[in-house]
Amino acid sequence: MNLRAIELRRVCLPLVSAFRTPLGTESVREALLVRVESDDGEGWGECVAGSDPLYCSEYVEAAWLTLRRYLGPKLLGAPDLTATAVQPLLREFKGHRMAKAALEMAVLDAQLRVAGVSFSTFLGGVTGAVTPGVAVGIMSSVEELLDSVSEYLDAGYRRVKLKIQPGWDLVPVEEVRDHFGDDLMLQVDANSAYGRADVVHLAQLDQFSLLLIEQPLDEEDLIGHAQLARSIATPVCLDESIVSAQSAATAISLGACSVVNIKAGRVGGYLEAREVHDVCASRNVPVWCGGMLETGLGRAANLALASLPGFTLPGDVSATARYFREDITPPFLLRNGTIAVPTGPGLGVEVLRPVLDALTAQSETITRADH
Ligand code: MG
């Protein structure tokens, strides 16, 4: 396809409740959406960068500038563009994986809509429904946490992930385990809140039979994660450290993790996410799909990704109601503990234009003529 225009939109979606993690507290999800226009039709992408550079170095304003100044113009000038050509074309620009992933997602959506193929089919999905987990933020009290977990279990979630940090770890985990029993699939995520000196402390989590501990140490400390993995019984999972299929292979070879959380934005797109899946599958490392408070667009793509065979653990691809009262697409619903994978062409979801317009804080369109 030949791109005629790329539209950037910043939308602000209020969260149903504030989400507190070791990285900060969010009450509104500010999302950067990308719409590509070609001679054959349009496609949508979502940049999962946050409002501030807290999860990683990328953030919405910087991604916008990068898309407008560098990445967008490069694709607007490319003849016969396909999704597989996006990353090679953008390789000269270092980093900015989330911004690149948004463009690739939009081009892939446009391409698959024309071809009449769903994201799931294209990526190699094997299931029509995904078992989601739910991520529960840091609360002001254990009572509040137990109430919150109870509500999610009543809603049908079967796996719970607790955000932890120093001062909010052993007690809340023990209380949740005691209160809900040994059958609850329970895991924790530290978002790099600990250091190598905390090994003995983190080993105390072993008594709670957790599925895994996610990203306990700094994202660049693979050796530290390998040492920790040898010292504790709880499986170590990496999130922030895995930025490509190559880094996944390295981390696994070093023994830094035995489980991988895959986020397409973090690794530069859904095609690279599939590569990470394949690398892990070839080494018998289970994977699951992480979440970045995506709108319905990113949620649709994540459901497609999570339908691949290596995604044997429940991911953070929760139903829309977990995050938003109103989304820019029809809501994804939790039914009998699962969420259906979209089957329509491309992302398989349609944007609700009046809602999108009402939630849009900023928009800009760049065209071939601009450059
Ligand atoms: Mg995480």
Side-chain angles (χ1 to χ4, degrees):
M1 74 186 78
N2 295 308
L3 296 189
R4 282 201 302 239
I6 298 173
E7 180 187 8
L8 307 178
R9 273 187 190 246
R10 187 166 59 84
V11 296
C12 295
L13 284 71
L15 294 170
V16 293
S17 58
F19 190 51
R20 183 177 162 200
T21 75
L23 309 172
T25 303
E26 284 182 87
S27 54
V28 173
R29 174 55 169 162
E30 184 187 28
L32 169 51
L33 306 179
V34 174
R35 186 177 66 86
V36 297
E37 252 179 59
S38 78
D39 298 335
D40 303 318
E42 66 174 19
W44 285 92
E46 177 168 351
C47 176
V48 298
S51 302
D52 302 297
L54 300 177
Y55 170 83
C56 69
S57 63
E58 292 190 79
Y59 61 104
V60 169
E61 265 185 272
W64 185 293
L65 185 63
T66 306
L67 285 160
R68 178 161 62 86
R69 184 180 294 177
Y70 301 106
L71 310 182
K74 188 77 182 178
L75 295 195
L76 283 168
D80 303 323
L81 182 66
T82 61
T84 49
V86 170
Q87 293 301 339
L89 278 167
L90 302 181
R91 192 161 289 146
E92 68 186 90
F93 305 115
K94 302 292 184 274
H96 299 284
R97 290 183 173 87
M98 291 175 175
K100 291 174 178 175
L103 271 178
E104 185 200 81
M105 176 178 162
V107 171
L108 183 57
D109 182 37
Q111 178 181 323
L112 296 181
R113 281 177 197 270
V114 171
V117 174
S118 73
F119 251 62
S120 175
T121 299
F122 174 82
L123 291 173
V126 293
T127 180
V130 165
T131 301
V134 64
V136 184
I138 293 164
M139 304 279 170
S140 52
S141 70
V142 168
E143 292 70 31
E144 196 184 340
L145 174 67
L146 295 176
D147 286 347
S148 184
V149 171
S150 188
E151 279 177 31
Y152 290 128
L153 296 180
D154 289 346
Y157 290 102
R158 294 169 186 170
R159 189 229 70 188
V160 170
K161 166 170 128 177
L162 304 182
K163 291 286 188 178
I164 60 167
Q165 64 183 16
W168 181 264
D169 45 27
L170 300 177
V171 171
V173 171
E174 180 174 19
E175 292 283 344
V176 168
R177 180 54 89 204
D178 282 354
H179 201 268
F180 298 101
D182 291 340
D183 290 340
L184 173 66
M185 288 194 281
L186 185 63
Q187 65 193 55
V188 294
D189 182 7
N191 290 107
S192 304
Y194 297 89
R196 290 189 185 188
D198 295 314
V199 169
V200 172
H201 179 72
L202 292 174
Q204 294 179 74
L205 288 168
D206 286 348
Q207 61 192 302
F208 305 121
S209 304
L210 301 177
L211 282 174
L212 56 90
I213 179 170
E214 179 182 348
Q215 197 70 46
L217 312 181
D218 187 83
E219 65 186 63
E220 295 183 3
D221 193 6
L222 290 182
I223 299 297
H225 280 104
Q227 291 169 348
L228 177 70
R230 286 195 295 273
S231 307
I232 65 175
T234 306
V236 173
C237 170
L238 290 177
D239 173 352
E240 286 91 333
S241 296
I242 307 299
V243 295
S244 63
Q246 188 177 51
S247 69
T250 302
I252 295 166
S253 297
L254 287 172
C257 65
S258 55
V259 184
V260 170
N261 165 343
I262 301 183
K263 291 175 178 169
R266 196 192 61 224
V267 301
Y270 284 88
L271 301 184
E272 185 72 13
R274 182 172 59 183
E275 290 293 317
V276 177
H277 164 273
D278 293 350
V279 161
C280 293
S282 71
R283 292 154 195 246
N284 293 317
V285 168
V287 301
W288 53 280
C289 185
M292 295 290 284
L293 312 185
E294 286 90 349
T295 73
L297 294 170
R299 203 164 296 281
N302 283 346
L303 285 163
L305 180 65
S307 72
L308 269 64
F311 286 79
T312 54
L313 293 170
D316 288 342
V317 195
S318 307
T320 302
R322 157 69 183 89
Y323 295 107
F324 311 117
R325 268 188 200 91
E326 188 173 46
D327 199 352
I328 57 165
T329 69
F332 288 97
L333 306 174
L334 185 62
R335 289 207 177 98
N336 300 319
T338 66
I339 304 177
V341 178
T343 55
L347 291 169
V349 288
E350 297 304 324
V351 169
L352 303 169
R353 285 288 185 159
V355 179
L356 175 71
D357 288 340
L359 296 175
T360 296
Q362 182 183 4
S363 67
E364 179 178 359
T365 300
I366 53 176
T367 63
R368 257 182 281 187
D370 295 339
H371 296 279

